[in-house]
Each structure stands twice: as structure tokens, then as C-alpha cells.
Amino acid sequence: MTRLVTSLGIALAIAFVSISGAAFAADHVKISYVVPTVNYGALFVAADKGYFAQEGIDIEIVQAGGGVATPALISGELQFSGTHSVALSADMKGAHLKAIFVGSDQSGFQLWVQPDIKKLEDLKGKQVGIISRGDTTEIGMRYILAKHHLPDDFIGYTPMGPGIARVAALQSGSFPGALIDTSQVADMQKANKLGKLHMLINLNKEVHMVFGGYATSDALIQSNRDLVHRAVRALMKGLAVVRSKRADTIASLVKHGSSQEAAEQNYDQYAMTMSPTAVTSDADQALELKVRAQMLKLDPEKLPPPSHFFDFSFVKQAAAELKKENWKP
């Protein structure tokens, strides 16, 4: 009888564990990124250190430029996109998306050009390689043109994806200029492939706007606010690590595709530009929307308020919770 009772108890315990496991199965979530730089460090670190798992999320990281990620976000194939810039442009055209997290408000890209290009005016009428139309590479260049009092159509933009196509185009001489990130610059230097190419403009120093942010859909916010909240909590933890732990961040960048040298250079140059709050001011939001509206040939005066495009309530809630919990990386 004792053995029978024990066996039944074990069976019931196994059944309970199985039922509980099914009831509390982790939510499978896909989040996109563009390149393995410190701008996406919060995502990589949060995944590698298990912060998403702690929040009940089974994370899948997908590399995709904004031209691919944004349609996937709209369709629900992606839950979060690391190209908030393209998502905002799509939202201004009628998509129902929100920017919810700001990693950095400074660019990690540089404009590299052929040796005969001595100044920005030498690019008149020429094509510049970018990642995708409407993303932070194009927006950043438009900021540069505006700063130099040049018209929007002063140069052309050729989308070439997040990989090495922009670097290859520069090296072959087939493109006069392209925007490349610091990790790609480091790799070119290491391989002695820079030749006579030179950096014309460092966007990190010249442009102030939202970079490295994450967006989601209004549909997900409405249907599962708790999931969005938990994902943002994980990203907030990852961001804290990026800002405070160099070795851990570099290890994650290398794990996700960067070379050691590029990761170190990228971290040392840009880690401290990462936002300490993951939000932007109302004034910065309004300015970014105005520039985007002009790019999209929309009347800025007819745009909805910034709250239609930005929702930082999740970041603010997560920050308050982590502070109350005295969470430290």
C-alpha cells in the first residue's frame, strides 16, 4: 500500500509539473537587428545573459534591415523591430506601429568616399550606398544635407542591405560613397582594404536623432501589453550592462558576428553615447517627425501628436520597477 501511495504521488507530481510547464511556457518572440554593433548591444546582452528567459520570453534574434523588418512587423511575423526609423516612416504613411525603446540618439555610421571626393559638394548628383530606404542611414544623410543647406535631392540613395555590399561597392570603386558602421571600418583596416578611401563625415558627431531603437505594433500593444512590458524590462537590463560592463558587452558583440577588434573599437567609441533612460524628449520627438515628414513629402502641421508614434510608457514602468527592486547588472 505504501508503495502504491508513493507511486501515485510521484505520478501526480509529474502530471502537475507537466501541466504547470505547459501553462507557463515561454512566449516565443522574434526581434530584429541590423548589424552587430553596440547600438544593438542591449538586445544581444539581454539574450546572452538570460534576461529574456527570466521574463518568460523565448527570444529569437533575426538580422534584417528596415525594408524587410518593417513589413514583417506589420504582418506579425516579427514582434519587435530594431529598425524603429523605418517603422516610424511606415507609421507616418498609415501603418500602426510605435517606437517604444531608444538605445542611442547618436549615429554609429560614417560616410566613406573615394579619394576624388574632397568635400560634400563633390557628391552632387551621385549615389550613396545606404542600408535601406527610410532608415537611419538615409535619415542621417538628410540631416547632413540640411545642416549644409543642400537640397533633399542633392544626392541619390541606393539601398544595399545590412551586409558587406556597401563595403564591397566602395572597395571596387563602383560607388562614390557609402555609409558604413565602425565595425566594418575596423574590419577593412585589419584586412588592409581601405586603400585611398577616406572618411568624409562622422555622423556620430554631426547628427543628433534617435538611433538604435526598437518598435512594435499597435496590435501587439493592444493584445498583449504584458509581453511588451516584459520584453522592454529585458532590454533595459541589457542596456544597463552595455553602459557599465565593457568585457561582457564586447563578448556578446563577438558572439553575434563582430570581430574582436571591431567590437572593442565600436564599444570604446560609442558605448557611452547609449541612452541612460531609453527615451527621448518631447522636443526631440517633434523634431524627428518634422524631418521625416519633409522627407516623405508630408505636411508636418497635419501630423498627429508624437504620442501617436512614440510610446515610452513601457520603458518608464520598467525603469521604476527595476529601481524599486534595486536591480543591478
Side-chain angles (χ1 to χ4, degrees):
M1 179 64 71
T2 300
R3 290 180 179 176
L4 177 60
V5 171
T6 301
S7 298
L8 287 173
I10 293 173
L12 288 172
I14 293 173
F16 177 78
V17 171
S18 298
I19 292 172
S20 298
F24 296 99
D27 293 296
H28 184 75
V29 167
K30 291 183 180 181
I31 303 183
S32 70
Y33 76 101
V34 181
V35 288
T37 62
V38 74
N39 272 346
Y40 295 96
L43 171 62
F44 300 144
V45 168
D48 296 343
K49 288 189 172 293
Y51 296 152
F52 283 107
Q54 292 172 10
E55 298 293 341
I57 295 174
D58 173 26
I59 189 67
E60 180 180 349
I61 300 176
V62 180
Q63 185 175 29
V68 173
T70 299
L73 187 64
I74 294 171
S75 70
E77 184 179 348
L78 279 178
Q79 284 70 52
F80 301 93
S81 166
T83 51
H84 100 287
S85 179
V86 181
L88 279 179
S89 294
D91 200 14
M92 296 175 78
K93 296 178 181 178
H96 299 286
L97 307 173
K98 287 283 192 304
I100 59 170
F101 183 98
V102 175
S104 172
D105 60 3
Q106 293 176 279
S107 174
F109 290 94
Q110 301 171 353
L111 176 61
W112 280 72
V113 295
Q114 301 297 334
D116 60 314
I117 305 295
K118 305 299 183 183
K119 56 186 184 299
L120 185 61
E121 286 74 12
D122 293 338
L123 285 171
K124 182 177 181 180
K126 296 179 174 20
Q127 292 292 314
V128 170
I130 60 172
I131 293 177
S132 60
R133 292 306 304 264
D135 72 352
T136 52
T137 51
E138 180 178 350
I139 297 290
M141 277 305 304
R142 289 181 178 274
Y143 265 81
I144 293 297
L145 293 179
K147 185 174 181 179
H148 288 261
H149 308 291
L150 297 172
D152 284 348
D153 60 355
F154 187 77
I155 61 173
Y157 303 93
T158 301
M160 306 182 79
I164 63 171
R166 285 163 291 126
V167 172
L170 278 174
Q171 292 172 338
S172 68
S174 59
F175 263 68
L179 286 169
I180 56 179
D181 63 73
T182 53
S183 66
Q184 291 171 322
V185 173
D187 289 340
M188 290 170 68
Q189 289 174 329
K190 186 176 182 180
N192 294 317
K193 292 185 176 180
L194 280 176
K196 294 184 178 180
L197 298 172
H198 67 104
M199 183 179 68
L200 187 66
I201 297 174
N202 186 347
L203 273 66
N204 179 257
K205 296 180 179 180
E206 299 281 344
V207 180
H208 183 77
M209 58 171 284
V210 178
F211 290 92
Y214 294 88
T216 191
S217 64
D218 286 348
L220 185 61
I221 291 175
Q222 293 166 7
S223 66
N224 200 339
R225 287 189 64 87
D226 180 63
L227 176 60
V228 178
H229 169 60
R230 286 183 282 126
V232 169
R233 271 180 60 97
L235 288 170
M236 290 290 285
K237 292 178 181 178
L239 182 60
V241 172
V242 170
R243 288 181 52 81
S244 62
K245 296 187 179 297
R246 180 179 185 272
D248 290 0
T249 305
I250 289 172
S252 281
L253 295 182
V254 172
K255 180 179 178 179
H256 291 274
S258 175
S259 69
Q260 181 73 25
E261 183 179 357
E264 291 175 357
Q265 180 176 335
N266 184 244
Y267 185 91
D268 292 341
Q269 189 169 4
Y270 296 116
M272 290 304 102
T273 69
M274 299 298 288
S275 171
T277 61
V279 304
T280 57
S281 69
D282 292 344
D284 283 343
Q285 293 172 35
L287 177 59
E288 180 165 356
L289 293 174
K290 179 179 179 180
V291 172
R292 289 177 180 280
Q294 293 170 344
M295 180 187 75
L296 298 171
K297 310 303 181 185
L298 300 174
D299 184 352
E301 301 300 324
K302 295 182 179 180
L303 287 180
S307 60
H308 179 87
F309 305 96
F310 300 89
D311 185 351
F312 294 129
S313 62
F314 299 99
V315 164
K316 294 175 181 177
Q317 181 183 352
E321 290 174 353
L322 294 175
K323 182 178 180 180
K324 185 177 181 180
E325 296 166 12
N326 197 31
W327 184 89
K328 294 289 190 299

